[in-house]
Amino acid sequence: MKNVYLGIDVGSVSTNIVLVDEENNVIDKLYIRTQGNPIKVLKEGIRKTREAIFNLDYDIEIVGVGTTGSGRDLASVMVGADIVKNEITAHAIAALNYVPGAKTILEIGGQDSKIILLRNNVISDFAMNTVCAAGTGSFLDRQAARLDIPIEDFGEKALNSTSEVRIAGRCAVFAESDMIHKQQLGYSQEDIINGLCEALVRNYLNNLAKGKDIQSPVVFQGGVAANVGIKRAFEKALDTEVYVPEHHNVMGALGAALLAKKQMQQQGKSNFLGLDIADNEFKVKGFECSDCPNVCEVVGIYKERDLSARWGDKCGKWNDTTLESPVD
């Protein structure tokens, strides 16, 4: 029987699940779209993970679980997590596992981007961009679709560029308009795509990374790290090698699994509820507490008909699940 650790990252765009063993090897990983329905998608992910475990030619036991991402509290209640951490910490832990001594993490996901600075293996600074779409995976998806190019081939096209084209990348609307203008001027697709990659990197460095002390080694992760055109543009702009981890698109979940492994060295027995939670029904109900001027939005999650947990109140009163809820 092999001990493994389960990491879950529930984000607004994707839900990622990773299983790692005692040597930090990834046994199984899953990347699925959240599609605005984290409960349904997490159950689907757990179900697929259960099938993947069933098909292994050796037995494993999940002895620790960690959750991260914007839906980390929800996921924690559903699966019975041993540790819950924000995505900045999870991404940093995963990057340090891949590149020991990493000092800068560039992370670009489907709808947001981050920069994390590490010094002596500790987070010293970070910044997140959840407002501007320019430079995120969803913007690149849209441009690839508009140019009728599979997103998997988008970066490779940039590598075949022979002439520099400057695209205005400060805003998604300006970038798209400028790309259309450059097409009308007769520039090749390869040159325009390379110009877009450089514009998005310029936008990232001039806004999100503005004033940040970017030092090597630099790790590039998130779904957009698969784009070799963006990777090359970062290397050109920073004049240093940029490392892309093998599991770059599930680094948050990987970090959560590694944090769970560390947690279990102190905790002993796991809170994990088992993979059969995929067959349970979960429902969320919320209400506004009017007991004080804070008027907190309290959220409760129900497993079948039973209340599993509540959160959202500042005073902690509703953490007591024996209290009768106004919406029960």
Side-chain angles (χ1 to χ4, degrees):
M1 183 73 75
K2 198 170 188 176
N3 289 343
V4 299
Y5 302 88
L6 179 66
I8 300 172
D9 179 1
V10 179
S12 57
V13 174
S14 67
T15 294
N16 310 320
I17 299 177
V18 166
L19 282 173
V20 300
D21 63 15
E22 295 282 5
E23 288 73 44
N24 299 347
N25 299 310
V26 174
I27 293 174
D28 187 60
K29 67 176 182 179
L30 189 64
Y31 177 100
I32 47 179
R33 299 276 183 177
T34 304
Q35 298 177 328
N37 196 338
I39 293 178
K40 178 185 174 187
V41 169
L42 180 55
K43 285 174 59 180
E44 180 188 339
I46 294 292
R47 195 174 294 118
K48 287 182 177 178
T49 301
R50 184 172 61 186
E51 292 170 4
I53 291 174
F54 181 77
N55 291 326
L56 291 173
D57 55 5
Y58 52 88
D59 294 330
I60 65 169
E61 181 182 3
I62 297 173
V63 295
V65 181
T67 62
T68 188
S70 56
R72 57 187 178 270
D73 292 321
L74 175 67
S76 169
V77 172
M78 288 178 66
V79 302
D82 300 298
I83 188 166
V84 182
K85 286 287 183 182
N86 62 64
E87 53 266 49
I88 298 293
T89 303
H91 277 280
I93 292 294
L96 287 168
N97 179 66
Y98 174 72
V99 181
K103 291 186 175 177
T104 305
I105 300 169
L106 315 173
E107 201 273 342
I108 305 180
Q111 286 190 338
D112 64 13
S113 49
K114 312 176 188 68
I115 181 169
I116 306 170
L117 303 185
L118 302 162
R119 299 294 181 264
N120 299 317
N121 297 334
V122 175
I123 298 169
S124 66
D125 193 10
F126 71 92
M128 294 180 68
N129 174 18
T130 58
V131 178
C132 179
T136 62
S138 57
F139 176 68
L140 289 174
D141 272 347
R142 192 165 66 249
Q143 297 313 313
R146 196 179 61 78
L147 295 171
D148 196 23
I149 298 170
I151 187 62
E152 297 80 11
D153 300 338
F154 206 68
E156 292 289 346
K157 287 272 187 185
L159 299 188
N160 294 325
S161 168
T162 56
S163 178
E164 288 201 4
V165 175
R166 187 174 179 88
I167 302 289
R170 190 173 51 184
C171 162
V173 176
F174 291 160
E176 185 167 319
S177 299
D178 208 22
M179 286 177 67
I180 293 170
H181 176 62
K182 293 298 191 297
Q183 283 178 282
Q184 292 167 340
L185 292 177
Y187 285 103
S188 71
Q189 275 193 342
E190 288 80 1
D191 292 340
I192 292 173
I193 291 171
N194 184 56
L196 178 64
C197 290
E198 294 189 349
L200 299 188
V201 166
R202 203 164 52 242
N203 180 43
Y204 180 100
L205 296 175
N206 290 340
N207 292 287
L208 189 63
K210 188 176 183 180
K212 305 289 184 193
D213 181 19
I214 296 176
Q215 296 183 15
S216 299
V218 177
V219 182
F220 182 24
Q221 50 199 46
V224 176
N227 187 314
V228 292
I230 298 283
K231 174 181 181 287
R232 186 179 70 170
F234 268 124
E235 290 178 330
K236 182 179 175 184
L238 298 173
D239 193 25
T240 188
E241 184 175 0
V242 171
Y243 299 92
V244 176
E246 178 184 359
H247 307 292
H248 58 84
N249 61 338
V250 293
M251 293 294 273
L254 177 55
L258 297 175
L259 285 162
K261 178 186 167 187
K262 186 176 181 183
Q263 173 70 13
M264 296 316 296
Q265 293 171 357
Q266 310 163 2
Q267 185 172 315
K269 187 178 179 185
S270 174
N271 299 319
F272 183 45
L273 298 173
L275 295 171
D276 289 341
I277 63 104
D279 302 323
N280 291 130
E281 289 297 323
F282 291 91
K283 192 178 292 182
V284 170
K285 294 180 182 177
F287 63 91
E288 282 188 349
C289 176
S290 56
D291 291 355
C292 79
N294 284 325
V295 194
C296 297
E297 182 181 359
V298 182
V299 178
I301 180 167
Y302 294 75
K303 181 180 177 183
E304 304 298 345
R305 298 179 63 85
D306 298 327
L307 176 65
S308 297
R310 288 196 196 99
W311 60 82
D313 54 331
K314 290 184 172 66
C315 65
K317 167 187 171 182
W318 294 103
N319 291 350
D320 181 358
T321 55
T322 61
L323 282 179
E324 188 174 346
S325 164
V327 294
D328 286 336

